[in-house]
Amino acid sequence: MFKPFVAAVCCGAVLICAGCGAQAPAPSGGEMEQDVILETAETDGETYYLLTSEADLQTIGSTYPLSGNYMLANDITLSEEWSPIGNTEEPFTGIFDGNGYQIRQLTVTKAADAKGFFGASRDAVIRDLVLVDAKIDVFGFFPIVARAENTEIIGCSVNELQ
């Protein structure tokens, strides 16, 4: 009788504490992936998630919301074919600030509906995003964001296309 009670209390404590602290929400889609916890910073009265790696970038729209505010904290080099952030059904709606840093080696070689660093955005702000050494085999789209609706794109550039 005592063991089931202890197990129930421990499980309840885990469930209650799962929402405690400053951890990121669980990944969506039922997939088990290693949790990436992003640090935050305050700039101009806004809270931004700081991005320092390719894994951090991949959390946008999965672990972290498409409506969030994100800021690069250093240069990031991508290592594989890029899956764009957002799509026409679920566009990026937050703020993305390149913060003077670069994203290198954006690779787009397969035809898909959503191409570019962002697949789609709506009512978003994308500023100071610099793509360098982009490898693009599929032309006919803007590498920053493929489909932008009511989106401010400020100070962005694509350098050294390959």
Side-chain angles (χ1 to χ4, degrees):
M1 180 81 172
F2 182 71
K3 287 182 183 178
F5 175 76
V6 171
V9 169
C10 289
C11 289
V14 168
L15 290 174
I16 290 170
C17 290
C20 300
Q23 291 188 340
S28 63
E31 57 195 51
M32 294 302 292
E33 61 184 52
Q34 188 174 12
D35 289 338
V36 174
I37 300 174
L38 302 178
E39 292 185 34
T40 59
E42 295 284 327
T43 302
D44 298 327
E46 297 280 348
T47 301
Y48 288 85
Y49 293 109
L50 299 177
L51 305 167
T52 61
S53 69
E54 183 173 7
D56 290 356
L57 289 169
Q58 293 169 339
T59 65
I60 302 172
S62 60
T63 305
Y64 289 86
L66 289 166
S67 60
N69 299 334
Y70 300 92
M71 181 181 290
L72 293 181
N74 53 257
D75 292 339
I76 297 174
T77 299
L78 303 177
S79 64
E80 56 190 42
E81 179 89 16
W82 181 248
S83 293
I85 298 169
N87 57 49
T88 53
E89 291 81 33
E90 295 181 11
F92 179 75
T93 59
I95 298 172
F96 190 96
D97 188 340
N99 195 28
Y101 294 105
Q102 301 174 345
I103 294 179
R104 295 184 166 278
Q105 298 181 3
L106 170 72
T107 301
V108 179
T109 59
K110 52 188 171 188
D113 285 341
K115 301 175 206 77
F117 185 73
F118 290 92
S121 63
R122 181 182 322 122
D123 302 323
V125 176
I126 301 168
R127 68 176 162 247
D128 301 326
L129 174 56
V130 178
L131 301 178
V132 177
D133 298 327
K135 296 176 179 108
I136 300 172
D137 289 345
V138 183
F139 284 98
F141 70 94
F142 182 51
I144 301 289
V145 59
R147 294 187 175 117
E149 180 182 330
N150 197 33
T151 295
E152 291 183 52
I153 301 173
I154 307 159
C156 297
S157 64
V158 180
N159 301 322
E160 302 173 34
L161 281 175
Q162 295 183 7

